Amino acid sequence: MYLKQFRTGGDRNFGYLIADEASGEALVADPSYSPSLVVDEAREQGFTIRYVFCTHGHHDHVNGNEEIAELTGLQPLLYGSVCPRTGRLVEDGAVFPLGSLDITILHTPGHTEDSICLLAGDAVLTGDTLFVGKIGGTATHEEAAREFRSLHERLMQLDDRVRVFPGHDYGSAPQSTIGQEKKTNPFLLQPDLDSFCDLKKNWAAYKRRHGIV
Ligand SMILES: [Fe+2]
């Protein structure tokens, strides 16, 4: 499997190109500020882009959608969209074929209600649900509770070796693994929802104490 991470601009946003090299079929995720950068790379590699996904509807993840639709002729897909090519609904557990690869949608509400993660082979694109050493922001207790469940009941159920590719370069490295996050991400080390929410509330102080940028 081919996977390339792009620094697309914005607030250290990451976009992605994933391809099944044998068939040359590719998908783009979160092209945001730099659709042509990702599309040019696909062309150079000789890939045919079959899908464009956005991990959620925040402006900094969808602002390139008009441009990438023009460049590829594809309608960008978010949670709840129906893919015109396959007729499949983007919902939890949906599988989108990409050559010999299966792309599985994980619905991971919390940061936003429409947050999805894309599981492709040994990699998962985690959008703004999980960053390296951090997690997505939430505004209410209910959102935090949904995010807690999404993290533990969906993402942390994946194999420890699955590589994690986040939606922003907010951590100490641009990528991680499920196992590494389980062991080191302070939010995932919290034993219950109350301590998870406490850490969210006191995150600025925690960062200062632990020298986290
Ligand atoms: Fe976001």
Side-chain angles (χ1 to χ4, degrees), residues 112-130:
T112 61
E113 195 47 41
D114 70 346
S115 287
I116 56 170
C117 297
L118 299 170
L119 180 63
D122 72 337
V124 63
L125 308 187
T126 54
D128 288 4
T129 298
L130 175 64

Side-chain angles (χ1 to χ4, degrees), residues 56 58 60-61 111-112 128 168:
H56 61 299
H58 276 165
D60 61 328
H61 294 256
H111 172 69
T112 61
D128 288 4
H168 293 265

